[in-house]
Amino acid sequence: MGKSSLLILPGDGIGPEVMVEVRKIIDWFGSNRGLDFDVTEDLVGGAAYDAHGTPLHDETMAKALNVDAVLLGAVGGPKYDNLDFSLKPERGLLRLRKEMDLYSNLRPAQCFDALADFSSLKTEVVSGLDIMIVRELTSGIYFGEPRGIITEGNERVGINTQRYTESEIERVARSAFELAKRRGNKVCSMEKANVMESGVLWRETVDKVHQAEYSEVELSHMYADAGAMQLCRWPKQFDVIVTDNLFGDILSDTAAMLTGSLGMLPSASLGAPMENGRPKALYEPVHGSAPDIAGQGKANPIACILSFAMALRYSFDEGVEADRLEQSIENVLSKGARTHDLLGEEGITPLSTSGMGDAIVEALAVSI
Ligand code: IPM
Ligand code: MG
């Protein structure tokens, strides 16, 4: 592999401290596996607002458009609650997603064997769980116009618009079918076609792409509310779920919790291929900035480290090294190592954020 460029945006709250652990992992791959990354760090979210008065500086945006992959920690915090909407930390992340055109957001929900007892659901419901939620990320109600708060008569009205074009649905559907072909060959598409026209178009378009290009993949449809219920009842019925931006936001948090902790789950946001054939890509943990535990060494760095594993797989074609990293994490967990979010069993002293990072580096060292 030639030198690859990586832009690291630690962000706010626990973002910076989990990213320190990811840097250890990146360094390990550099020194031991010849994966040479040209790493730049910059600000996003509240951290960028504090420094520049904007949650994403134009220069940072330009850098993001020019690297092989972006790795982001988390954004947001109570300190920024009263800022104007356009300046909130979350806008920095949304701008990255939109301007990089990262339309396909992959959110795996995988249950590590060592943590199966840790889920709030029965062990048999979650053990061996391996599903992939593909969330449309650049359109829908998050970005639709008109939007805003207007005044009508003597009261205010809040407006957001759900809007999807056929081509937006087609490209995310393709992404889901392609993934399914490399996994369990099943896609379940979720919308609310019973009440929303955008849901009707979603269903028709997914069907059209399926019939024309992917008829060998098994396709089913579910209303998103029923899908939420089925995710809790018997999640192992699913392989790939494809859904819109807002339903995907909610369903992926539900799916995340099936696995025991939000502190475990990575994500990849992918766009169209660049000139070098790699997709535009941003990798980030599904969890947020967790301001309540920030700076205390309590955060679980695994979601962010697994996000780097996804970068190895989807941006750098290093599937074997991604497997190595995921297996090392699995080994650390099966030996009983836990961070604060994974307690519950008696008599276990939790590792700090950096303790977990070090344990993973040690497990990597014995993997070669
Ligand atoms: C997510 C988050 C974001 C979203 C926020 C931080 C803007 O909840 O990535 O799931 O709503 O998309
Ligand atoms: Mg969310």
Side-chain angles (χ1 to χ4, degrees), residues 110-116 128-129 264 302 305-306 322-338 356 359-360 363-364:
Q110 241 167 327
C111 189
F112 285 83
D113 282 346
L115 300 180
L129 180 74
M264 299 292 301
I302 292 180
I305 294 174
L306 285 172
D323 288 347
R324 176 192 309 284
L325 179 50
E326 287 165 359
Q327 188 57 52
S328 299
I329 292 172
E330 176 102 55
N331 293 348
V332 164
L333 291 170
S334 39
K335 286 203 193 116
R338 299 287 184 268
M356 182 56 94
I360 295 169
L364 280 168

Side-chain angles (χ1 to χ4, degrees), residues 92-141:
L93 175 57
L94 293 170
R95 180 174 175 203
L96 281 164
R97 289 174 178 172
K98 187 73 180 171
E99 290 192 26
M100 293 172 77
D101 201 19
L102 305 171
Y103 60 85
S104 177
N105 180 217
L106 280 41
R107 297 191 163 186
Q110 241 167 327
C111 189
F112 285 83
D113 282 346
L115 300 180
D117 290 339
F118 197 78
S119 171
S120 51
L121 297 190
K122 293 194 188 92
T123 309
E124 70 260 29
V125 177
V126 295
S127 72
L129 180 74
D130 178 8
I131 60 186
M132 179 71 88
I133 297 194
V134 179
R135 167 188 178 194
E136 198 293 323
L137 201 60
T138 50
S139 184
I141 201 161

Side-chain angles (χ1 to χ4, degrees), residues 75 90-91 93-94 97 105 107 135 137 142 245 248-250 252-253 267 284-288:
V75 293
E90 289 78 3
R91 299 310 305 173
L93 175 57
L94 293 170
R97 289 174 178 172
N105 180 217
R107 297 191 163 186
R135 167 188 178 194
L137 201 60
Y142 269 55
N245 204 341
D249 182 41
I250 298 166
S252 63
D253 266 27
S267 80
E284 58 175 319
V286 172
H287 64 67

Side-chain angles (χ1 to χ4, degrees), residues 239-254:
D239 175 29
V240 174
I241 292 173
V242 63
T243 189
D244 76 13
N245 204 341
L246 181 60
F247 293 141
D249 182 41
I250 298 166
L251 292 170
S252 63
D253 266 27
T254 306

Side-chain angles (χ1 to χ4, degrees), residues 196-275:
M196 296 164 75
E197 285 79 0
S198 60
V200 174
L201 186 71
W202 183 281
R203 189 178 281 225
E204 287 176 7
T205 309
V206 172
D207 269 335
K208 195 179 72 190
V209 173
H210 176 244
Q211 275 158 28
E213 298 166 46
Y214 297 98
S215 54
E216 74 281 14
V217 179
E218 192 184 313
L219 171 67
S220 59
H221 301 276
M222 234 179 237
Y223 296 138
D225 54 344
M229 186 264 283
Q230 290 296 339
L231 264 176
C232 297
R233 192 186 70 84
W234 190 245
K236 284 189 251 179
Q237 70 187 278
F238 298 113
D239 175 29
V240 174
I241 292 173
V242 63
T243 189
D244 76 13
N245 204 341
L246 181 60
F247 293 141
D249 182 41
I250 298 166
L251 292 170
S252 63
D253 266 27
T254 306
M257 212 49 217
L258 303 175
T259 69
S261 169
L262 215 47
M264 299 292 301
L265 291 181
S267 80
S269 304
L270 307 178
M274 301 183 280
E275 267 167 32

